Amino acid sequence: MIIIRMANRATLVARFQQVAVAAALALGNNVSFAQPGPSASEHFKRGLEFAQQGQFEAAAQEFKSAYDISPRSAVLFNLGQAYALGGKPVQAVETLKRYLSENQVKAGSARRTLVEELMMRSERRIGYLTISVAPPDAELFVDGLLHKLTTLDEPILLAVGEHNVLAVSSGYEPATGQVQIAANASRTLKLTLNRQAATLQAAAAQLEVTCAIPATLVQLDGGELRSSDDRKELALGMGQHEIRFERLGYERTVMHLAVKNPGIVRVDCDLHPTRTLPESLTGELMIESSEPGAEILVDGGRARPSTLLPIGPHLIEIRRTGFLPWSGRVELRARRRETIKIALRPTPEYDLEERVRERSRRRWTYVTGGAGVAVLGAALTTYVLNSQRYRQWGRDRDLTSSEVRAQRWSPTLDARVSDLQRQSASIQLVDDVAAGLCILGTGLLSYAVVSWFSSETR
């Protein structure tokens, strides 16, 4: 016979909840950590924040993590209350007993009275389930979690309420059952596994959880909390199941699913940030990419280069056509800005294309620069030759002017005056052409110089 005490998740009375939370927060302000302080302190602070939000299962997970890193017995008081308020009476009783034992709290003191009241109320929410299973070496899963037994006669405490039990054994069909346990009452459940054909293997449904938001806490049928980063699959019995997802700064999500056949059941969490996040639960993420126009993804969704997010870990991915995607993980802290500078690397194909384009640009730079030099040379030559014409035209103009002033008339005077006017217009036109060539040549040469230095700095 295997005796298992089971209980269901339930909230305590309002007065008891208020007293317990207040005591937890009061004690939390006086708890300090040694080695390794920062990590344990961070877990402890998050546990207090979860408790303030009424998420006691998550708070218990954080307190337990803090205790595992730095085993301060004072944390057991907070952990025991979180278990009690989160519907874990068995864990609450065990933890609070350890707290009294390790701290040697004096009888009659206010704290011992509060702890004993917590223990008494938790013990009232414990029931008993007796399971007989054939074959006796079958593995038992209670609400999806493997239940290991030390002896067949020793009773094990769990919580009251409705629970799913799954028994599996190699060479047998899995057997399932559902029971409703009342407080301080005993129930009996018999599970008999039928042998399979020799070619078949025992199979049970497995739960596979994926979540874009890291460090999300997952709870199956009121069982223990586990992180979504843990890719280990959970065993599922046939029938109805409840899955909860929660993380500090996000709205809790509850999913219900029905398992009818063995296999893998895949679910994806759907968490959304709390609508009004306080500053104590918010950090700023600043992303600087080496390539403009890159797509930024945070926790699987598109995001701006600067955004406010709930504190804790987040997954970042940067994508841009022609470049290798970049991904990483960042830890945001309250009221702080985390700046990440990312240098994207081009793909081999894009890098080859860019080199071909660069060679083409350089060739065009050489051609443009050469054309600019040639045009400037032509402009200079035109200007020099036209200057010689201008000087000759000046001498002819002076000679003609002297004859006119001396009133010496000749048959060719009118013709020479007309010719000087035509030469003046021609010289002016050639000067304009030389100036245009100079401007064109300077522009081509400047473009070539700018293109050269731009290619050198790429």
Side-chain angles (χ1 to χ4, degrees):
M1 303 291 285
I2 303 173
I3 302 176
I4 301 180
R5 295 183 181 181
M6 306 191 62
N8 187 32
R9 171 190 175 89
T11 56
L12 301 179
V13 296
R15 173 181 171 276
F16 170 65
Q17 183 179 18
Q18 294 172 356
V19 172
V21 172
L25 295 176
L27 179 61
N29 293 331
N30 297 323
V31 175
S32 60
F33 295 89
Q35 296 294 333
S39 180
S41 298
E42 187 68 23
H43 282 296
F44 190 80
K45 290 177 182 177
R46 289 184 183 178
L48 294 178
E49 290 169 348
F50 272 125
Q52 288 175 322
Q53 293 184 346
Q55 302 182 33
F56 299 110
E57 296 93 339
Q61 181 74 14
E62 295 295 337
F63 289 142
K64 186 175 184 301
S65 298
Y67 184 80
D68 291 341
I69 296 173
S70 183
R72 306 284 300 213
S73 58
V75 181
L76 296 175
F77 182 59
N78 299 74
L79 179 59
Q81 291 181 96
Y83 278 142
L85 295 171
K88 302 287 186 181
V90 175
Q91 292 90 332
V93 171
E94 294 175 349
T95 303
L96 293 173
K97 283 183 178 179
R98 287 181 58 191
Y99 169 73
L100 292 177
S101 175
E102 293 184 13
N103 286 273
Q104 298 181 353
V105 182
K106 296 181 180 180
S109 65
R111 181 166 297 174
R112 188 178 187 93
T113 301
L114 176 59
V115 172
E116 289 176 347
E117 181 183 359
L118 281 168
M119 294 171 57
M120 179 183 64
R121 292 182 179 276
S122 297
E123 288 171 347
R124 291 175 182 174
R125 302 196 58 80
I126 295 175
Y128 302 87
L129 175 64
T130 301
I131 298 180
S132 61
V133 59
D137 60 348
E139 289 187 328
L140 289 177
F141 292 86
V142 180
D143 296 328
L145 297 178
L146 178 63
H147 196 84
K148 296 182 179 180
L149 303 174
T150 54
T151 65
L152 296 180
D153 299 329
E154 180 183 359
I156 301 175
L157 286 72
L158 293 170
V160 299
E162 185 177 276
H163 295 272
N164 297 308
V165 181
L166 168 68
V168 295
S169 182
S170 178
Y172 292 84
E173 296 281 356
T176 62
Q178 287 185 339
V179 290
Q180 181 72 37
I181 303 299
N184 295 319
S186 298
R187 290 289 304 274
T188 301
L189 177 65
K190 295 183 179 181
L191 295 177
T192 302
L193 285 69
N194 298 320
R195 285 190 174 276
Q196 290 182 321
T199 57
L200 298 179
Q201 298 293 330
Q206 299 289 326
L207 176 64
E208 183 178 298
V209 176
T210 59
C211 192
I213 302 173
T216 297
L217 298 178
V218 183
Q219 185 181 49
L220 173 63
D221 295 329
E224 293 184 6
L225 289 170
R226 59 186 297 169
S227 174
S228 60
D229 296 341
D230 183 4
R231 296 300 179 182
K232 185 178 180 181
E233 296 176 346
L234 290 171
L236 286 177
M238 304 304 160
Q240 297 292 328
H241 296 276
E242 179 184 86
I243 307 173
R244 296 191 179 191
F245 302 98
E246 58 187 40
R247 180 182 149 174
L248 191 63
Y250 292 83
E251 299 286 350
R252 176 186 295 175
T253 299
V254 180
M255 298 176 59
H256 295 88
L257 58 88
V259 178
K260 298 180 180 179
N261 300 301
I264 297 178
V265 180
R266 296 180 174 87
V267 297
D268 188 7
C269 70
D270 186 22
L271 291 183
H272 300 279
T274 304
R275 294 182 179 179
T276 55
L277 275 175
E279 291 186 2
S280 60
L281 298 180
T282 304
E284 183 179 2
L285 176 62
M286 179 76 71
I287 299 176
E288 298 179 3
S289 174
S290 61
E291 302 300 322
E295 183 184 23
I296 301 174
L297 301 175
V298 177
D299 297 332
R302 299 190 65 177
R304 294 174 296 179
S306 177
T307 182
L308 295 177
L309 295 169
I311 60 175
H314 294 275
L315 297 178
I316 304 172
E317 187 174 0
I318 310 295
R319 301 174 183 171
R320 192 183 187 281
T321 303
F323 291 82
L324 298 173
W326 182 94
S327 61
R329 181 166 172 155
V330 62
E331 183 84 16
L332 289 186
R333 300 182 182 275
R335 301 185 182 92
R336 293 185 59 181
R337 173 186 293 178
E338 189 72 26
T339 302
I340 300 179
K341 298 181 179 180
I342 301 167
L344 295 179
R345 294 186 300 166
T347 61
E349 298 79 9
Y350 182 83
D351 187 50
L352 179 60
E353 293 176 2
E354 186 62 25
R355 290 183 181 181
V356 172
R357 285 193 293 266
E358 185 62 31
R359 286 196 293 267
S360 176
R361 281 195 295 267
R362 289 201 173 188
R363 284 196 297 267
W364 178 247
T365 298
Y366 297 146
V367 172
T368 305
V373 172
V375 171
L376 284 174
L380 180 61
T381 302
T382 302
Y383 176 76
V384 170
L385 295 176
N386 205 42
S387 296
Q388 295 176 357
R389 289 182 62 200
Y390 177 74
R391 287 192 293 272
Q392 181 61 45
W393 175 85
R395 288 192 293 269
D396 293 342
R397 180 199 59 186
D398 293 342
L399 179 61
T400 302
S401 297
S402 64
E403 290 181 359
V404 172
R405 285 194 298 270
Q407 296 182 352
R408 292 196 302 267
W409 181 88
S410 70
T412 62
L413 182 61
D414 291 339
R416 282 187 291 160
V417 170
S418 297
D419 186 56
L420 286 173
Q421 291 176 345
R422 288 193 300 271
Q423 288 183 27
S424 175
S426 175
I427 292 171
Q428 182 62 48
L429 177 61
V430 173
D431 275 346
D432 293 340
V433 171
L437 290 175
C438 182
I439 294 174
L440 177 60
T442 302
L444 292 173
L445 189 59
S446 298
Y447 175 80
V449 172
V450 171
S451 298
W452 173 267
F453 281 105
S454 297
S455 63
E456 288 296 318
T457 57
R458 290 180 187 274

